[in-house]
Amino acid sequence: MLQLLKTLRLRQPARFASALSNTAAATLPGTEATPPAIVGEPDKLYSKLEIELRGIDPAVLKSYTWFATTAAEHLGIELGKCWSPRKAHHERMTLLKSVHIYKKHRVQYEIRTHFRYMNFHKLTGSTLDTFLEYIERNLPEGVALQASKTELQQIPEHLRQPPEQV
Amino acid sequence: MAANLARLLECNIRCNNAAAVQSGWRLFSNQRQQQTEVEDDEEFRVLNLRTIKQQARRREIKKNAVQPPRTSRMPVDQDWTAVWSGPRSFHPASVPLPLRQGYTERGAAAPSKYANAELMKIPNFLHLTPPAIRQQCEAIKKFCTPWPKGLETEAKWKRPFPIEVITTDYCHSLPTIRHPEARRVTITLKLSDLKFDAHAKDKFLRLVGERYNQETGVLTFSADRCPMRKQNYDYAMYLLTACYHESFVTEPWEATKSEADMEVYQFERNQAKRSAEGILNWNATGEQKDAPSANYAKSVEALINEGENEYNIAKYKEEVLKMLKIAI
């Protein structure tokens, strides 16, 4: 074990040095001749972005929806259906008013959750990341956001043709 | 007289010593230091019985005069995004709006914006005014890319991109930023996007089971058993791949599929074919045998697979009459 550690310690600086020398060798002669080719993965495609908002204050949700749709308009994102259910979701708890007895006297607490939905269509990966980060950063307090993304993909190579050898 | 003099001297020395202590002079030296000056005209000392703490004068608290609200100094054409640049709770002196909010008795006006907790409780959008949104969107627009041409409608993008991967992100105010549902990955595609032969299709549908929707023809693979989203995606793709490739394998025991195991009626392997052949080849001695026509086979299959309805029965009757060469 100790030996292994020692060898590791010995090796690492050497590796760093080699890496450094490699980069130096690569950069020095080719500063003017070869600009680095931009090789990145192709952009993803999202056919739909569905956003669900939950909050206790419908007015805040409404304002936030207005903000998000306006931002989408400025960014040139196609806007789909935006809607909200008419009634809030009520979660009620009925407890004894007293600590111990008096069963006829109860107290009721409730949590109201309002929902709001927004749909955006036809976004590229970079657009979606930008837009989603922008509206998530401006999410007001007490509002939860759920973004479900539908990504489009090609059929992978191994599923295009029936397998020849099975 | 002498006693009086001695007391006065003593008093003088003591006073000098006290002065020396305060200013850090030498106390126990033989030679007297040079006195700068003996204060003859000493102030008349008042006997003060109170402690020093009580003697201390009360500090006068300097109160700033209340500044007038900032709104009174705001020009009409100011840049509001500079005034309210980020999310912040409501401040009445910075908002030049005559806001009122809150509950009062019937008929009375709602409380004004000053010292109004109702306005401070609700999150405001004063930093997201229309000009602010426009400015910020213009700034981030350089990171966006347009939707590629040629994929405008769903029908157009369905052909090159048949697989849909549905994932969900959550943004909420909980102590943790993780959400157990965020790892769920759903893959959907149409069965018609995959290429099959008859046996493979049958086996594939048996393998995927519930994941195939008969009515819409959509396959759905959903995975949430792994802790990470990437792992779940890989697992769902693995399931699809494994089912697809496994469906092309023919096991030896698959030949033992009996008539009771068939999911659809097939004319070829049933008694109806044998009966029809028997009737057609009645008393035939030659080598060549007549086979029932394809239309007849189709009508029998339709009759049994789709059920007996008027059209199928009429079709079957027509085919039977044609096969038996009975003219009506």
Side-chain angles (χ1 to χ4, degrees):
Chain A
M1 192 66 200
L2 271 175
Q3 264 189 343
L4 200 139
L5 276 176
K6 268 180 200 167
T7 50
L8 269 180
R9 258 181 224 153
L10 278 178
R11 265 181 204 172
Q12 266 181 346
R15 203 185 297 156
F16 286 139
S18 69
L20 276 176
S21 65
N22 277 343
T23 49
T27 47
L28 276 177
T31 40
E32 51 199 66
T34 54
I38 300 166
V39 182
E41 52 191 74
D43 213 353
K44 290 174 179 176
L45 293 177
Y46 292 91
S47 65
K48 193 171 90 167
L49 168 68
E50 187 180 5
I51 287 179
E52 184 197 284
L53 298 168
R54 305 172 174 219
I56 50 166
D57 206 326
V60 172
L61 292 186
K62 195 179 169 191
S63 299
Y64 184 75
T65 309
W66 185 87
F67 154 68
T69 47
T70 312
E73 216 169 87
H74 287 312
L75 293 177
I77 297 169
E78 188 185 315
L79 189 65
K81 196 182 168 196
C82 295
W83 62 286
S84 69
R86 188 161 288 185
K87 286 184 178 175
H89 179 83
H90 292 239
E91 191 188 335
R92 291 204 177 89
M93 285 170 291
T94 312
L95 307 176
L96 290 186
K97 199 176 239 178
S98 154
V99 178
H100 178 38
I101 45 174
Y102 309 120
K103 198 176 179 182
K104 283 185 183 171
H105 298 78
R106 306 281 188 116
V107 64
Q108 229 180 23
Y109 296 99
E110 75 176 24
I111 302 169
R112 297 184 186 179
T113 313
H114 295 262
F115 290 81
R116 217 165 170 100
Y117 297 89
M118 288 183 282
N119 285 296
F120 302 98
H121 296 291
K122 297 200 285 189
L123 305 101
T124 56
S126 48
T127 309
L128 181 124
D129 288 344
T130 311
F131 176 65
L132 206 56
E133 179 159 353
Y134 178 53
I135 65 169
E136 277 180 0
R137 274 173 187 269
N138 284 308
L139 196 67
E141 310 90 306
V143 176
L145 184 143
Q146 172 189 332
S148 43
K149 307 175 281 189
T150 307
E151 193 194 334
L152 299 176
Q153 282 188 354
Q154 291 175 322
I155 287 191
E157 281 295 326
H158 56 274
L159 294 179
R160 285 192 189 161
Q161 292 299 329
E164 292 156 13
Q165 196 74 24
V166 283
Chain B
M1 186 66 193
N4 273 348
L5 254 177
R7 211 190 297 158
L8 205 138
L9 244 173
E10 213 177 45
C11 179
N12 201 1
I13 288 168
R14 215 180 283 156
C15 277
N16 283 339
N17 279 347
V21 165
Q22 280 176 0
S23 54
W25 285 346
R26 296 186 298 170
L27 288 178
F28 300 104
S29 66
N30 294 330
Q31 295 170 352
R32 272 200 85 178
Q33 287 179 343
Q34 281 190 353
Q35 286 252 315
T36 49
E37 177 185 24
V38 179
E39 296 176 23
D40 291 330
D41 49 349
E42 241 182 313
E43 217 176 290
F44 181 75
R45 289 182 297 150
V46 183
L47 177 67
N48 203 335
L49 293 175
R50 290 185 175 177
T51 57
I52 293 175
K53 200 174 180 186
Q54 280 170 325
Q55 281 177 32
R57 278 184 186 176
R58 273 191 188 171
R59 279 177 65 196
E60 283 176 17
I61 300 168
K62 255 195 172 179
K63 274 190 181 175
N64 285 339
V66 177
Q67 295 281 327
R70 197 178 160 196
T71 52
S72 59
R73 281 178 283 128
M74 285 179 175
V76 178
D77 55 345
Q78 67 173 345
D79 180 16
W80 174 250
T81 54
V83 176
W84 202 282
S85 54
R88 183 191 171 199
S89 54
F90 182 80
H91 194 273
S94 305
V95 181
L97 299 171
L99 295 175
R100 291 183 166 273
Q101 176 72 43
Y103 173 79
T104 48
E105 292 296 318
R106 181 184 289 262
S112 77
K113 62 180 179 176
Y114 290 100
N116 192 337
E118 292 299 323
L119 283 170
M120 288 195 268
K121 279 192 276 186
I122 187 165
N124 61 52
F125 285 78
L126 291 168
H127 60 294
L128 294 175
T129 50
I133 298 175
R134 200 189 312 116
Q135 277 178 19
Q136 292 165 1
C137 285
E138 273 164 18
I140 61 173
K141 193 153 192 183
K142 63 186 171 200
F143 302 116
C144 298
T145 47
W147 184 256
K149 280 170 189 166
L151 299 175
E152 281 80 14
T153 59
E154 185 171 357
K156 282 183 184 171
W157 76 58
K158 269 289 170 193
R159 185 161 299 167
F161 299 98
I163 297 184
E164 288 188 344
V165 182
I166 300 169
T167 53
T168 312
D169 284 344
Y170 293 85
C171 183
H172 46 46
S173 52
L174 288 183
T176 172
I177 59 166
R178 319 274 168 220
H179 196 287
E181 287 297 303
R183 64 185 178 206
R184 184 187 293 274
V185 174
T186 308
I187 290 178
T188 60
L189 75 160
K190 287 230 169 198
L191 186 70
S192 52
D193 298 324
L194 298 172
K195 288 173 186 165
F196 290 109
D197 55 21
H199 163 261
K201 189 169 187 176
D202 173 48
K203 192 169 177 183
F204 185 80
L205 290 185
R206 285 166 187 271
L207 286 173
V208 296
E210 289 282 304
R211 297 186 182 92
Y212 177 65
N213 187 346
Q214 198 88 36
E215 289 161 9
T216 55
V218 173
L219 281 165
T220 309
F221 289 87
S222 182
D224 60 349
R225 55 174 61 189
C226 303
M228 303 299 292
R229 176 184 294 171
K230 175 80 169 56
Q231 294 169 335
N232 279 313
Y233 170 74
D234 287 344
Y235 177 66
M237 288 308 279
Y238 160 74
L239 267 187
L240 173 62
T241 310
C243 287
Y244 184 67
H245 284 254
E246 186 61 31
S247 64
F248 285 92
V249 178
T250 311
E251 301 285 347
W253 46 262
E254 284 180 36
T256 62
K257 190 175 173 184
S258 69
E259 195 51 42
D261 301 327
M262 297 299 291
E263 55 281 346
V264 287
Y265 178 87
Q266 283 178 350
F267 181 74
E268 289 298 318
R269 40 185 301 161
N270 271 289
Q271 179 63 33
K273 189 195 177 196
R274 271 166 266 149
S275 311
E277 276 176 352
I279 293 166
L280 285 177
N281 302 320
W282 191 265
N283 284 339
T285 51
E287 285 298 309
Q288 58 173 9
K289 286 185 176 180
D290 288 344
S293 66
N295 284 338
Y296 176 71
K298 214 178 277 177
S299 70
V300 175
E301 279 178 359
L303 190 67
I304 294 176
N305 286 334
E306 294 168 19
E308 294 184 8
N309 53 34
E310 238 172 69
Y311 175 79
N312 282 346
I313 288 180
K315 186 85 181 162
Y316 177 65
K317 177 186 171 186
E318 186 188 318
E319 290 298 329
V320 168
L321 291 179
K322 208 185 282 176
M323 186 178 74
L324 298 180
K325 291 164 189 159
I326 300 169
I328 299 174

